[in-house]
Amino acid sequence: MRAFAAVAESCSFRRAAADLGLTPSTLSHAVRAFEDRIGQRLLNRTTRAVTLTEAGARLLQDLRPALALLDDAVAAVGIPDDMPIGTVRLAAPRLAIQMLVAPAIRRLARDCPHVTLDVRTVEWPGDLTEGFDLGIQYGNDVAQDMVAVALTKPFTAAVVGSPGYFADHPPPLHPADLVRHRCIGCLSGPAGALYRWAFERNGETVVLDVGGTLVTDDADLMLDGAIGGIGLWHGIDQVVQPMIDDGRLLRVLTDWSPSFPGFHLYYAAGAPLSPAVRAVADALRSGG
């Protein structure tokens, strides 16, 4: 099984043999014997390429997690029971990965060398029953039956534009003024609906549909558009503050900016966390 998986992953007997410390002919005989034993051709071999058959592709998909578990089991021999070891699956939005996960990875690699962090980008609340050990989401998106721990302070909305944009357009003084401005549209939510800009001041709430020359679900493109003078962007203060500090962006409607819960780490209630999961959670809480 290990021999087959190595060839299937590299699509080359020569490369797989080098990885396993075998000769190509020895590896070829091992894979052929495995195919004969299960009665299925798993690999198509030509002089130019090695490809998976349909049966081989199904088997490889099932073998990957099983072989990973075997690797974890072998690695655990001789390691104390309370030492973090194994794979931890984490679901998080891209912004949380940039702000929180990337710094934590450096600490984990240094302090927990036997832990593998499997990070998946999930922009909307994920279901931890689908195999994730931990998740990160905005606090108001975490299900009530989950254990939630705050990782950041609350966020504050920020409307920003470039100095060049404001050279041609007077800054808005009230949210209603935005109807005369180009605004960068954000596609939001699982259905990709156009996000409505929300404002609040002294108990008064204003929610607007805005329009402009750019609509996207890519946060980096929105920010680049705002810096480039395409229009105004409704974002998060922690994201745009560096650009405000260096003068690339100017903030408007500050007194109309509502706050909302920041990123929270969450996990299923009940069962105690394994040492590996606990190590990842501690690294995230400590800010990396």
Side-chain angles (χ1 to χ4, degrees):
M1 289 187 289
R2 181 76 68 186
F4 158 70
V7 176
E9 294 284 7
S10 64
C11 295
S12 167
F13 278 90
R14 188 173 300 278
R15 286 195 296 270
D19 291 340
L20 296 175
L22 302 173
T23 65
S25 60
T26 299
L27 182 59
S28 178
H29 286 307
V31 174
R32 179 69 71 186
F34 181 48
E35 289 177 317
D36 291 342
R37 187 162 68 249
I38 65 175
Q40 286 277 0
R41 176 181 289 275
L42 303 175
L43 298 169
N44 293 315
R45 307 159 175 82
T46 69
T47 56
R48 303 181 62 180
V50 177
T51 59
L52 285 165
T53 65
E54 182 178 351
R58 290 198 308 270
L59 179 60
L60 179 63
Q61 183 177 1
D62 292 336
L63 274 181
R64 281 175 175 146
L67 292 175
L69 287 174
L70 288 174
D71 288 338
D72 290 345
V74 172
V77 174
I79 295 177
D81 291 341
D82 59 349
M83 179 174 287
I85 182 170
T87 299
V88 178
R89 296 193 66 208
L90 170 68
R94 185 171 61 171
L95 178 58
I97 293 174
Q98 295 170 345
M99 292 177 59
L100 301 168
V101 180
I105 289 174
R106 291 189 285 271
R107 177 178 177 181
L108 283 167
R110 181 186 70 237
D111 298 340
C112 303
H114 301 294
V115 173
T116 298
L117 184 58
D118 182 346
V119 182
R120 305 302 173 95
T121 302
V122 177
E123 294 297 337
W124 310 110
D127 184 355
L128 292 185
T129 62
E130 294 183 355
F132 291 109
D133 302 293
L134 297 169
I136 299 176
Q137 269 300 338
Y138 297 103
N140 50 354
D141 287 334
V142 177
Q144 292 185 353
D145 60 346
M146 293 287 176
V147 177
V149 180
L151 297 178
T152 68
K153 296 178 180 179
F155 294 135
T156 300
V159 177
V160 294
S162 70
Y165 177 86
F166 287 121
D168 298 325
H169 303 83
L173 302 177
H174 187 279
D177 297 337
L178 292 173
V179 298
R180 295 186 292 274
H181 284 265
R182 296 199 306 266
C183 298
I184 298 173
C186 171
L187 299 175
S188 170
L194 187 62
Y195 176 72
R196 305 183 73 199
W197 291 18
F199 301 90
E200 183 180 341
R201 185 179 69 176
N202 299 330
E204 179 185 359
T205 299
V206 178
V207 180
L208 296 173
D209 291 312
V210 298
T213 58
L214 173 63
V215 176
T216 180
D217 63 353
D218 188 286
D220 291 338
L221 182 58
M222 296 177 208
L223 188 55
D224 288 344
I227 294 172
I230 297 298
L232 303 182
W233 182 46
H234 189 284
I236 296 173
D237 56 349
Q238 290 193 21
V239 173
V240 299
Q241 193 60 51
M243 280 67 78
I244 295 174
D245 292 341
D246 64 21
R248 285 181 290 168
L249 291 173
L250 301 175
R251 188 173 178 181
V252 296
L253 298 173
T254 306
D255 56 339
W256 281 93
S257 300
S259 295
F260 53 95
F263 284 127
H264 282 59
L265 178 71
Y266 68 97
Y267 52 88
L273 300 181
S274 70
V277 175
R278 175 67 64 186
V280 173
D282 289 344
L284 291 168
R285 282 198 295 263
S286 67

